[in-house]
Amino acid sequence: MVQRSSNAEVMSMDLSPKKPAKAYGSDGGAYYDWSPADLPMLGAASIGAAKLHLSAGGLALPSYSDSAKVAYVLQGAGACGLVLPEAAKEKVIPVKEGDALALPFGAVTWWHNAEGSSAELVVLFLGDTSKGHTPGRFTNFQLTGASGIFTGFSTEFVARAWDLDQDAAAKIVSTQPGSGVVKIAAGHKMPEPRAEDREGVVLNCLEAPLDVDIPGGGCVVVLNTANLPLVKEVGLGADLVRIGGRSMCSPGFSCDSAYQVTYIVRGGGRVQVVGIDGTRVLETRAEAGCLFIVPRFFVVSKIADDTGMEWFSIITTPNPIFSHLAGKTSVWKAISPAVLETAFNTTPEMEKLFRSKRLDSEIFFAPN
């Protein structure tokens, strides 16, 4: 059972956005992750976050993780090999920018950027580490390479498991000197991605129907059990939000005890988070490449810079529910006028003025 941090601990934590550090890499690419030592809310929320960068011809070797994840393709195009638990056949999924994939426990994956690619393939991973080895950090188990699982078994065990003689077993385990990420040999033919393998596994957030679309304000695509049933097994919801230049995202909070983990994809802007007793716990500028976490029930709002802002978030429930504190769907529009007058200690005239605003705006507010 995950031990939750106390109110005082959460209120004193550094919530400021952070960028990841390189964990390992080669000429084929690199793997970066966020550490709970640098971003304490990762450990408190039991959330892992990492990024994979693959150059042309790069291959992330087959591995599995101790955590269920959502993968989001930030840039480029390539292939993801996926073997789901108890599956008899590998899926070779063509992936491109905007794709979101739900990766449940036990899924074995590899990622590849084509040899002739003109751009890096960049994939973001966000997931629940509450059942993992290290709260706030993914532990990945490599199947091959210098740190592969079978380098730890004796040659006798490997030979028996794979029905090889001991010389062959020793050779096959030791011939891959790379670890985690390698570059394939020039001209080596990789399996062709199959479009049909995307079905039920991938949702492209840039092409999916919009769940919210406010002209001049912003738009949202929500990833949930309705449009990608596999997220039920992962236990996480996600969304892609894009707001226009100088637009505002309404102050709001997750009302089902979920944490919100946000990665800034493009642009930037100001972020404020308010916690217990009306204390502002974060006021900062977030820019592309940064990650931050909003604690449970804390209220967050964002205002984009002139160029706008785009972010991808996971929420630690497969069907998240948010409550907004401004706009026509806010709780203020539902509360009785007499209650508002007393709650704000104001006049009926001021209450009517307050209620008359934002009648046509939902969760995004275009600049005046």
Side-chain angles (χ1 to χ4, degrees):
M1 184 175 179
V2 176
Q3 185 175 359
R4 286 178 172 168
S5 302
S6 68
N7 289 347
E9 288 173 327
V10 172
M11 290 292 288
S12 64
M13 282 183 184
D14 178 11
L15 302 181
S16 58
K18 298 289 194 303
K19 291 190 175 182
K22 184 177 178 179
Y24 56 81
S26 70
D27 56 351
Y31 179 86
Y32 300 79
D33 69 355
W34 281 264
S35 166
D38 298 326
L39 192 56
M41 274 305 302
L42 288 172
S46 290
I47 294 294
K51 278 203 303 182
L52 175 67
H53 289 241
L54 291 179
S55 57
L59 173 68
L61 295 172
S63 67
Y64 65 93
S65 176
D66 65 350
S67 306
K69 305 175 185 175
V70 171
Y72 182 71
V73 181
L74 296 167
Q75 175 186 306
C80 171
L82 173 64
V83 181
L84 293 170
E86 300 184 340
K89 186 179 178 183
E90 170 190 66
K91 293 180 181 289
V92 183
I93 304 163
V95 295
K96 60 183 179 179
E97 182 178 335
D99 278 350
L101 297 82
L103 304 175
F105 281 110
V108 172
T109 60
W110 54 261
W111 299 81
H112 175 238
N113 191 10
E115 186 178 2
S117 176
S118 60
E120 269 195 324
L121 174 62
V122 183
V123 186
L124 174 71
F125 300 97
L126 301 173
D128 175 13
T129 65
S130 62
K131 297 180 181 178
H133 287 274
T134 305
R137 203 165 203 170
F138 299 132
T139 300
N140 297 320
F141 294 83
Q142 305 294 330
L143 296 188
T144 66
S147 57
I149 291 293
F150 282 91
T151 62
F153 282 103
S154 67
T155 304
E156 177 194 359
F157 271 59
V158 176
R160 281 287 299 274
W162 291 346
D163 193 22
L164 297 172
D165 64 54
Q166 294 209 16
D167 287 343
K171 185 175 181 180
I172 197 170
V173 168
S174 63
T175 49
Q176 174 53 274
S179 180
V181 177
V182 300
K183 191 161 188 172
I184 62 172
H188 180 74
K189 188 169 176 60
M190 292 291 288
E192 287 291 330
R194 299 181 289 264
E196 59 269 25
D197 284 349
R198 290 174 59 89
E199 187 175 348
V201 178
V202 183
L203 178 76
N204 188 279
C205 296
L206 299 176
E207 299 173 354
L210 298 174
D211 292 280
V212 177
D213 185 13
I214 310 297
C219 58
V220 185
V221 169
V222 177
L223 185 73
N224 55 31
T225 56
N227 52 23
L228 193 60
L230 202 57
V231 301
K232 184 177 182 180
E233 293 185 39
V234 175
L236 302 167
D239 58 27
L240 178 69
V241 181
R242 289 167 282 173
I243 61 175
R246 297 185 292 117
S247 289
M248 181 182 195
C249 181
S250 165
F253 63 94
S254 169
C255 49
D256 46 10
S257 190
Y259 292 92
Q260 186 175 358
V261 187
T262 297
Y263 176 84
I264 307 299
V265 178
R266 287 182 185 82
R270 294 165 53 205
V271 179
Q272 290 188 356
V273 178
V274 175
I276 299 166
D277 294 329
T279 302
R280 189 185 308 154
V281 293
L282 179 65
E283 180 167 12
T284 190
R285 185 184 179 279
E287 60 183 24
C290 287
L291 182 97
F292 67 96
I293 301 175
V294 179
R296 298 176 305 120
F297 300 110
F298 283 31
V299 178
V300 60
S301 184
K302 309 176 187 76
I303 298 178
D305 292 341
D306 290 345
T307 56
M309 184 158 58
E310 178 179 336
W311 64 88
F312 183 80
S313 297
I314 64 162
I315 303 92
T316 55
T317 179
N319 293 297
I321 301 172
F322 287 93
S323 185
H324 293 277
L325 302 178
K328 71 178 184 180
T329 58
S330 77
V331 296
W332 301 122
K333 305 303 184 190
I335 293 177
S336 303
V339 174
L340 282 187
E341 288 176 32
T342 303
F344 282 119
N345 191 25
T346 191
T347 64
E349 292 75 23
M350 181 58 73
E351 188 281 328
K352 288 178 182 177
L353 176 64
F354 176 76
R355 189 180 293 275
S356 70
K357 301 297 182 180
R358 299 292 185 205
L359 294 178
D360 299 322
S361 305
E362 285 194 51
I363 60 174
F364 302 125
F365 312 137
N368 293 329

